[in-house]
């Protein structure tokens, strides 16, 4: 026999089999059965048991209700989904068992708890839907109200998901595609969520519109399906509370440069350094934003470089105008510093998850927005350059005044005593507060009055939660107790009394108190509704401020680090004078970073072969080129003395030597797969950065592949794009003799009295020594090894004098071009028939077919 509570639990649990169910019982959240085991394991709390029915002992684990946020954050970070079941009737008044209901399902993508959220990042929930290799993608951040959708083909979907770095990805259950989502937390949802007619209805109903045309997605069914599924999912999780989303934006990934994971990792955009954290990333150098929404905007700009010169010029001119006016820049930054997270606050207000202090902060922040607008307005030239941002700043004076007239200065976090509402705002409330004061003064003077009346000097008036106000008389004076005192409690040395008059006053106070709370709540609620009615204006202001903050940050960083404004062009060139690596220069000792020049163009020096000793700065040089190009394409100044950047459609990078052990593939296999992908996707407007290709295999194989890749990029009419190739194969420098647009660069090394000094100075030409042995010496390899190594090196050099000079004008004698066939063959060879799963096999096959199709194109 189950107890009624157990029956109730089982019924609710049945509807939440995929979630961990937190069952509110009094002051605790309890879990039972396997949920209890899981909870106790994950949170390291005691697992006990409780009898819930005759002879039935159920495993149980729980925690006090006020610790919810702490434990929630731990559970969420471990990827659990949690259903929170509350008591929905008052235990004091309900007959029989308290009614209970799940009020919220918390998942990584739908949290709103401030303590769990990262201020400087969006918390995206993404949903994807695939049909015939085309994807619909939709994402929402319910803490900022951003909701957007797009359609993309399979080659772009992964980098778009990576860019968003969502905390949860929704996918249709039981679907097979070759998208690797293993680094994300995915949630499988049923097919119904993606039904097209339902999705259309879902969106129309939600936004109360008749057609999807205003959102621009009416002809994008997959985008609609992804968006519909997200709305449905969020609504399910948030139960009846409102989802704070005001519009759906349709965007096109075509307008942005694809920044794939590989390139973003290799160029260390968001994370970098040995420990791969944010500290050593490009973002950390660029981020001197002052507001959370500014920090989020800068991140977005970095993840979505632009392809359009006009848009970029707008950003660059804005950065320049603030760069030139120190006074306005500094003052603006100072004002921005006092602006809070308007975007998240207004969303909190719209869902009723707020408090008086936060609302007051909103008013203050909006005031600061007006102030910064005035500051920028001081210089008409600057205002003009920034007008694309400034005109989006709405006039919020009215709402500021409303808030300021309603909420008192320094308001409390709660609404309990009415002090959150400014005096004079509501006569009714003021009267109640006055009455409450008067009633309370009856008690504050009671002690004095009663002492005089009874002549008991030690008589005391006190208050406790059980009896309310009482009068206490020590036993010695008990005979003086007046007639009208009613005994309430006996203590060791005293008795406690009340009087009828006291009771009357007390209930009056309680009454008034209740009225005060009700009225304060009403006033506050009305105020929140008023604020929510101008949510669009406030969001627009917040968006403008986030852009202004980003521009200010970019100009401040440019000043501090001596960056310059790049010249943008559509020509396929890259001319950089005195270019530096923005991150490496920060950590170079004594700021001794050696600047270097670069001159790349599709028509002349198109492919640079960069050779030089280990540790001389090759990787730094080729990566800085990528980073400078990227900076220019987000509208930032760049670390150089001058730079002409011909916009690139994508930056491809392949940096050798990382073992991708997690994938279980050999280094060389990964290297070849990534390289194949580059060769398949690059166009003649791309920038390709290859670092030590071919290292993962034997010398001759490696060399052969490296050379044929270089030839392929040079000769293929679809490519012929700007390429930097750092390599330790000196033999590759011979390529310049028979490939017209190949140029050799090397790192200058000064040799003095047998000592070698790396100057980190890139010059035209070739070096023929690798200085590997020299590096070994520097690293402290035992002394006797060094001369022997030189000896062996000499022998080897004599034996294997690999020279291409004899073949320079006979391309047919070159090493064979690497074809897809070679890759396909090596892929096939790497497959272990005994270990591959059917799904992996299908995916592999799909990849191979794609590769072979590419081969036919060439
Ligand atoms: N231009 C430069 N100026 C100063 N130091 C540099 C420069 N380029 C590289 N370095 C330093 O040399 C180290 C090795 O550079 P790296 O590019 O990794 O060399 P390589 O790829 O040739 O082995 C870097 O970590 C950096 O500290
Ligand atoms: Mg290197």
């Amino acid at each position: 026999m189950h107890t009624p509570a157990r029956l109730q639990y089982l019924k609710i649990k049945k509807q939440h089999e995929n979630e961990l169910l937190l069952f509110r019982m009094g002051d605790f959240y309890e879990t039972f059965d396997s949920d209890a085991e899981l909870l106790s394991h994950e949170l390291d709390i005691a697992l006990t048991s409780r009898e819930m029915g005759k002879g039935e002992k159920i495993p149980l684990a729980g925690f006090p209700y006020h610790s919810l946020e702490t434990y929630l954050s731990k559970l969420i970070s471990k990827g659990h989904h949690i259903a929170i079941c509350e008591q929905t009737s008052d235990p004091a008044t309900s007959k029989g068992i308290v009614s209970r209901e799940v009020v919220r399902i918390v998942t990584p993508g739908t949290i709103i708890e401030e303590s769990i959220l990262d201020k400087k990042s969006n918390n995206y929930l993404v949903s994807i839907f695939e049909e015939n290799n085309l994807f619909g993608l939709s994402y929402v951040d319910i803490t900022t109200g951003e909701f957007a959708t797009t359609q993309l083909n399979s080659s772009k979907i992964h980098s778009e998901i990576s860019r968003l770095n969502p905390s949860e990805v929704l996918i249709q259950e039981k679907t097979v595609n070759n998208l690797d989502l293993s680094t994300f937390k995915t949630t499988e949802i049923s097919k119904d969520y993606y039904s097209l007619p339902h999705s259309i209805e879902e969106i129309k109903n939600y936004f109360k519109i008749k057609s999807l045309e205003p959102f621009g997605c009416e002809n994008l069914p997959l985008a609609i399906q992804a968006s519909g599924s997200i709305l449905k999912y969020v609504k399910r999780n948030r139960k009846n509370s409102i989802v704070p989303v005001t519009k759906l934006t349709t965007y096109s990934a075509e307008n942005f440069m694809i920044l794939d994971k590989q390139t973003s990792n290799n160029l260390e955009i968001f994370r970098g350094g040995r420990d791969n954290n944010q500290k050593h990333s490009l973002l950390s150098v660029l981020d001197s934003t002052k507001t959370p929404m500014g920090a989020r905007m800068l991140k977005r700009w970095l993840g979505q470089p632009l392809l359009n010169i006009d848009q970029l010029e707008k950003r660059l001119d804005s950065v320049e105008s603030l760069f030139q006016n120190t006074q306005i820049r500094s003052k603006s930054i100072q004002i921005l510093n006092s602006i809070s997270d308007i975007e998240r606050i207004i969303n909190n207000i719209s869902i009723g998850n707020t408090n008086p202090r936060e609302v007051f902060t909103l008013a203050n922040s909006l005031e600061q927005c007006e102030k910064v607008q005035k500051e920028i307005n001081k210089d008409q030239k600057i205002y003009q350059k920034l007008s694309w941002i400034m005109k989006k700043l709405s006039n919020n004076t009215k709402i500021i005044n409303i808030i300021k007239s309603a909420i008192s200065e320094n308001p409390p976090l709660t609404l309990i005593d009415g002090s959150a509402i400014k005096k004079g705002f509501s006569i009714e409330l003021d009267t109640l507060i006055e009455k409450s004061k008067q009633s309370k003064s009856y008690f504050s003077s009671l002690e004095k009055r009663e002492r005089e009346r009874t002549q008991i000097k030690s008589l005391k008036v006190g208050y406790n939660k059980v009896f309310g106000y009482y009068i206490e008389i020590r036993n010695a004076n008990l005979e003086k107790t007046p007639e009208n005192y009613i005994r309430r409690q006996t203590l060791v040395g005293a008795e406690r009394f009340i009087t009828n008059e006291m009771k009357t006053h007390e209930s009056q106070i309680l009454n008034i108190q209740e009225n005060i709370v009700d009225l304060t709540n009403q006033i506050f609620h009305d105020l929140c509704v008023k604020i929510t009615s101008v949510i669009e204006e406030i969001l627009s202001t917040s968006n403008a401020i986030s852009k202004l903050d980003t521009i200010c940050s970019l100009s401040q960083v440019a000043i501090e680090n001596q960056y310059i404004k790049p010249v943008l062009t559509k020509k396929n060139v890259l001319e950089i004078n005195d270019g530096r690596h923005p991150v490496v220069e920060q950590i170079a000792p004594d700021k001794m970073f050696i600047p270097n020049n670069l001159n790349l163009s599709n028509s002349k020096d198109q492919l640079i072969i960069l050779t030089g000793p280990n540790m001389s700065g090759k990787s730094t040089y080729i990566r800085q080129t990528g980073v400078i190009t990227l900076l220019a394409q987000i509208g930032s100044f760049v670390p150089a003395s001058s730079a002409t950047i011909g916009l690139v459609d994508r930056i491809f990078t392949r940096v050798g030597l990382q073992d991708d052990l997690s994938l279980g593939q050999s280094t060389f296999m990964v290297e070849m797969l990534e390289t194949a992908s580059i060769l398949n996707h690059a166009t003649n407007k791309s920038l390709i950065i290859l670092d030590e290709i071919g290292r993962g295999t034997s010398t001759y194989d490696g060399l052969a592949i490296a050379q044929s890749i270089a030839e392929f990029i040079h000769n293929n009419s679809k490519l012929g794009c700007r390429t930097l190739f750092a390599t330790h194969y000196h033999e590759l420098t011979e390529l310049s003799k028979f490939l017209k647009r190949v140029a050799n660069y090397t790192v200058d090394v000064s040799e003095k009295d047998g000592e070698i000094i790396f100057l980190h100075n890139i010059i035209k030409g070739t070096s023929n020594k690798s200085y590997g042995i020299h590096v070994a010496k520097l690293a402290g390899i035992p002394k006797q090894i060094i001369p022997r190594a030189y000896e062996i090196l000499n022998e080897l050099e004599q034996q294997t004098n690999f020279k291409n000079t004899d073949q320079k004008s006979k391309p047919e004698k070159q090493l064979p071009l690497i074809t897809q066939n070679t890759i396909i063959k090596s892929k096939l060879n790497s497959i272990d028939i005994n270990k591959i799963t059917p799904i992996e096999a299908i995916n592999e096959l799909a990849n191979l077919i794609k590769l072979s199709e590419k081969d036919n194109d060439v």
Side-chain angles (χ1 to χ4, degrees):
M1 264 301 280
H2 295 310
T3 62
R6 175 70 176 164
L7 285 173
Q8 186 188 38
Y9 173 82
L10 289 174
K11 194 170 157 207
I12 296 175
K13 177 66 198 173
K14 201 159 177 207
Q15 291 155 6
H16 294 280
E17 280 170 343
N18 297 327
E19 288 100 28
L20 202 145
L21 181 63
L22 298 180
F23 197 67
R24 180 71 179 264
M25 299 186 98
D27 284 345
F28 277 77
Y29 286 107
E30 304 286 14
T31 56
F32 302 101
D33 309 309
S34 58
D35 278 359
E37 279 154 22
L38 185 71
L39 191 85
S40 126
H41 178 257
E42 293 288 46
L43 301 180
D44 206 12
I45 52 180
L47 181 67
T48 56
S49 61
R50 173 178 295 184
E51 193 153 329
M52 296 189 87
K54 232 183 165 178
E56 201 179 12
K57 282 223 162 182
I58 309 288
L60 166 117
F63 53 80
Y65 76 96
H66 52 78
S67 319
L68 180 65
E69 209 161 306
T70 322
Y71 287 130
L72 210 52
S73 108
K74 283 188 191 160
L75 291 168
I76 287 290
S77 66
K78 291 179 185 231
H80 296 293
H81 290 192
I82 296 124
I84 301 177
C85 177
E86 295 287 357
Q87 296 176 171
T88 46
S89 65
D90 186 350
T93 55
S94 36
K95 282 191 199 127
I97 183 172
V98 191
S99 56
R100 290 188 173 86
E101 213 178 292
V102 169
V103 295
R104 228 182 111 194
I105 298 169
V106 191
T107 69
T110 54
I111 46 170
I112 52 167
E113 279 68 17
E114 236 162 86
S115 60
I116 311 178
L117 294 165
D118 172 9
K119 258 196 197 166
K120 291 190 159 201
S121 304
N122 278 101
N123 190 54
Y124 287 129
L125 169 69
V126 161
S127 179
I128 48 171
F129 183 74
E130 191 244 13
E131 215 170 74
N132 301 327
N133 253 334
L134 193 63
F135 284 83
L137 178 147
S138 178
Y139 67 86
V140 70
D141 180 345
I142 63 165
T143 66
T144 63
E146 190 187 351
F147 184 29
T149 189
T150 190
Q151 271 184 202
L152 321 134
N153 61 33
S154 55
S155 68
K156 291 188 175 155
I157 181 78
H158 199 270
S159 55
E160 184 60 4
I161 300 176
S162 299
R163 172 184 81 80
L164 294 164
N165 194 16
S167 40
E168 186 178 357
V169 181
L170 305 179
I171 46 172
Q172 186 180 317
E173 63 184 358
K174 299 193 187 95
T175 43
V176 183
N177 55 49
N178 40 19
L179 197 58
D180 176 16
L181 295 172
S182 56
T183 50
F184 302 104
K185 291 186 182 124
T186 52
T187 303
E188 295 196 359
I189 52 177
S190 87
K191 215 167 120 200
D192 310 343
Y193 279 81
Y194 290 104
S195 130
L196 183 59
H198 286 172
S199 291
I200 294 174
E201 279 316 297
E202 190 77 47
I203 301 171
K204 280 190 192 164
N205 286 342
Y206 181 79
F207 293 104
K208 303 192 177 62
I209 47 169
K210 290 212 171 62
S211 117
L212 298 184
E213 218 176 306
F215 294 153
C217 58
E218 72 278 15
N219 297 322
L220 304 173
L222 305 183
I224 294 172
Q225 279 159 286
S227 307
S229 72
I230 261 197
L231 271 186
K232 201 168 167 165
Y233 182 76
V234 174
K235 267 169 63 187
R236 180 194 81 123
N237 284 2
R238 306 267 314 139
K239 294 291 161 184
N240 298 321
S241 51
I242 333 151
V243 185
V245 172
T246 56
K247 61 169 191 274
L248 172 61
T249 314
T250 305
Y251 69 103
S252 163
E254 307 291 326
N255 298 335
F256 304 105
M257 183 204 288
I258 301 177
L259 189 61
D260 55 67
K261 189 111 197 163
Q262 208 174 313
T263 294
S264 144
N265 286 348
N266 291 337
L267 297 184
E268 307 190 314
I269 309 292
F270 299 105
R271 303 180 155 270
R274 273 219 192 111
D275 41 359
N276 200 31
N277 71 20
Q278 200 173 307
K279 223 167 87 201
H280 303 289
S281 65
L282 180 64
L283 174 65
S284 75
V285 175
L286 291 189
D287 189 2
S288 102
T289 56
K290 298 295 170 197
T291 67
M293 56 272 186
R296 296 194 291 267
M297 185 55 75
L298 174 65
K299 247 187 175 172
R300 179 169 325 167
W301 283 15
L302 258 180
Q304 291 188 316
L306 300 177
L307 302 168
N308 178 300
I309 289 201
D310 295 339
Q311 282 176 324
L312 283 168
E313 299 279 358
K314 256 196 321 204
R315 289 189 188 172
L316 280 170
D317 289 349
S318 303
V319 173
E320 184 180 36
S321 69
L322 285 170
F323 180 94
Q324 287 164 343
N325 191 323
T326 301
Q327 205 179 352
I328 291 186
R329 184 184 66 249
S330 314
K331 192 78 215 294
S332 302
I333 290 175
Q334 194 193 335
I335 302 170
L336 286 168
N337 206 9
S338 56
I339 298 180
S340 304
D341 199 339
I342 300 176
E343 200 177 22
R344 278 190 174 153
I345 295 179
I346 181 67
N347 272 280
N348 283 341
I349 292 175
S350 76
I351 58 171
N353 172 40
T354 187
N355 61 60
R357 201 175 288 169
E358 198 172 61
V359 170
F360 198 72
T361 308
L362 174 70
N364 277 340
S365 292
L366 290 175
E367 248 172 15
Q368 297 301 315
C369 298
E370 297 193 339
K371 224 165 126 190
V372 79
Q373 185 172 26
K374 282 204 193 95
E375 188 59 38
I376 301 282
N377 220 341
K378 280 185 186 160
D379 184 324
Q380 274 314 297
K381 258 197 351 236
I382 297 185
Y383 196 90
Q384 208 105 71
K385 294 284 183 211
L386 291 173
S387 68
W388 61 284
I389 295 174
M390 302 315 282
K391 65 178 189 234
K392 294 281 166 66
L393 275 171
S394 334
N395 182 345
N396 302 303
T397 318
K398 222 167 123 191
I399 197 71
I400 296 171
N401 289 339
I402 292 176
I403 297 173
K404 293 235 154 174
S405 69
I407 306 280
S408 51
E409 305 264 333
N410 294 323
L413 284 168
T414 63
L415 294 165
I416 290 175
D417 57 0
S419 67
I421 307 299
K422 202 170 190 167
K423 213 169 165 198
F425 181 76
S426 157
I427 297 172
E428 204 184 340
L429 182 67
D430 291 349
T431 321
L432 282 173
I433 292 175
E434 190 48 40
K435 268 195 195 158
S436 144
K437 271 189 198 146
Q438 281 167 10
S439 305
K440 280 182 186 157
S441 80
Y442 164 83
F443 285 104
S444 57
S445 57
L446 182 65
E447 193 171 273
K448 194 164 164 253
R449 281 199 312 272
E450 290 299 298
R451 277 184 189 178
E452 275 167 17
R453 184 160 84 95
T454 59
Q455 292 300 311
I456 307 171
K457 279 209 185 94
S458 60
L459 178 145
K460 266 200 311 203
V461 171
Y463 181 87
N464 76 23
K465 271 197 182 145
V466 187
F467 303 115
Y469 287 95
Y470 58 80
I471 295 170
E472 187 176 298
I473 300 177
R474 312 277 326 152
N475 286 349
N477 300 314
L478 276 178
E479 74 271 19
K480 291 188 195 162
T481 307
E483 287 278 290
N484 66 330
Y485 278 23
I486 306 163
R487 185 176 314 229
R488 261 294 135 95
Q489 195 183 9
T490 305
L491 305 178
V492 178
E495 297 281 335
R496 285 180 177 172
F497 303 91
I498 57 157
T499 67
N500 283 331
E501 201 186 39
M502 279 165 79
K503 275 268 123 201
T504 322
H505 273 97
E506 209 173 293
S507 71
Q508 220 171 31
I509 291 179
L510 273 180
N511 234 328
I512 298 172
Q513 202 55 44
E514 231 166 72
N515 289 341
I516 288 177
V517 172
D518 285 353
L519 190 56
T520 313
N521 269 310
Q522 188 58 45
I523 293 171
F524 189 66
H525 175 79
D526 291 349
L527 178 65
C528 288
V529 170
K530 263 195 202 131
I531 301 172
T532 307
S533 74
V534 289
I535 187 167
E536 295 274 8
E537 285 86 341
I538 295 176
L539 282 174
S540 169
T541 301
S542 165
N543 188 272
I545 289 294
S546 71
K547 288 178 180 150
L548 180 65
D549 194 9
T550 305
I551 295 285
C552 279
S553 175
L554 290 178
S555 53
Q556 182 64 27
V557 170
I559 290 271
E560 281 167 15
N561 299 302
Q562 293 167 319
Y563 295 176
I564 53 94
K565 185 183 185 186
V567 177
L568 303 182
T569 163
K570 284 183 184 155
K571 289 187 206 139
N572 295 321
V573 296
L574 276 181
E575 293 160 23
I576 300 169
N577 289 315
D578 304 311
R580 284 134 38 211
H581 193 298
V583 184
V584 178
E585 76 167 339
Q586 300 282 336
I587 39 182
D590 307 325
K591 296 249 160 183
M592 282 299 290
F593 190 90
I594 312 298
N596 278 302
N597 300 341
L598 171 79
N599 205 331
L600 259 183
S601 84
N602 280 20
S603 54
K604 198 160 163 274
D605 289 352
Q606 174 231 320
L607 196 156
I608 288 180
I609 303 276
L610 174 60
T611 49
N614 281 327
M615 290 302 286
S616 59
K618 299 186 297 298
S619 299
T620 308
Y621 177 72
I622 60 176
R623 285 183 216 198
Q624 93 189 18
T625 307
V627 172
I628 288 174
T629 308
L630 184 86
L631 281 174
Q633 292 196 231
I634 66 161
S636 166
F637 280 23
V638 299
S641 65
S642 73
T644 302
I645 309 290
L647 297 194
V648 307
D649 62 358
R650 187 161 167 184
I651 303 172
F652 291 94
T653 56
R654 166 63 220 172
V655 172
L657 269 189
Q658 297 143 313
D659 269 43
D660 220 332
L661 291 173
S662 59
L663 292 172
Q665 288 164 314
S666 75
T667 317
F668 184 62
M669 187 65 193
V670 173
E671 184 169 339
M672 284 305 110
L673 284 174
E674 287 185 10
T675 311
S677 158
I678 294 178
L679 300 178
N680 287 334
H681 291 113
T683 75
N684 76 338
K685 295 202 83 63
S686 305
L687 172 63
I688 301 183
I689 294 175
L690 302 172
D691 199 347
E692 305 283 11
I693 288 279
R695 213 171 202 182
T697 184
S698 73
T699 312
Y700 281 108
D701 275 2
L703 176 57
I705 286 165
Q707 176 170 347
S708 49
I709 288 171
E711 286 172 3
F712 184 83
I713 295 173
H714 183 274
N715 294 339
N716 191 305
S717 59
K718 281 193 201 154
L719 285 168
C721 57
R722 288 160 284 178
T723 305
L724 292 167
F725 198 150
T727 180
H728 65 291
Y729 294 124
H730 304 286
E731 294 84 349
L732 288 187
T733 57
E734 299 288 324
L735 280 175
S736 68
K737 294 186 177 146
F738 51 91
L739 298 179
K740 234 177 33 218
R741 284 167 278 108
V742 167
N744 289 323
Y745 279 47
T746 187
V747 193
D748 204 7
V749 174
S750 133
E751 264 187 272
K752 219 177 167 189
D753 310 328
E755 283 305 308
I756 293 155
I757 305 161
F758 294 163
L759 301 171
H760 302 304
N761 201 8
I762 314 282
I763 50 169
K764 271 207 160 188
T766 59
S767 81
N768 46 10
K769 286 189 184 169
S770 91
Y771 298 96
I773 299 176
H774 166 71
V775 173
K777 194 164 131 195
L778 288 183
I781 292 276
K783 268 199 191 113
Q784 54 273 41
I785 291 182
I786 306 297
R788 174 67 187 137
Y790 274 118
E791 228 175 83
I792 298 172
L793 181 68
N794 248 335
E795 276 169 31
L796 286 174
E797 272 174 356
Q798 308 228 325
Q799 282 167 21
T800 58
N801 219 345
F802 182 96
K803 283 239 159 69
N804 246 20
T805 31
D806 316 337
Q807 316 165 357
K808 60 185 167 188
S809 51
K810 298 177 208 153
E812 67 272 17
K813 273 204 181 169
Q814 285 164 36
L815 292 159
L817 214 68
I818 185 168
T819 62
Q820 310 298 343
N821 282 344
T822 327
I823 301 171
I824 291 171
K825 213 168 155 189
S826 71
K827 269 192 101 166
L828 282 172
N829 283 336
S830 78
I831 293 174
D832 184 345
I833 283 288
N834 297 319
K835 286 198 182 138
I836 196 161
T837 69
I839 290 182
E840 284 166 349
I842 290 174
N843 288 342
E844 276 303 333
L845 199 56
N847 280 334
L848 290 169
I849 290 171
K850 239 185 273 161
L851 278 176
S852 85
E853 277 168 357
K854 283 284 171 194
D855 205 22
N856 297 337
D857 296 346
V858 174

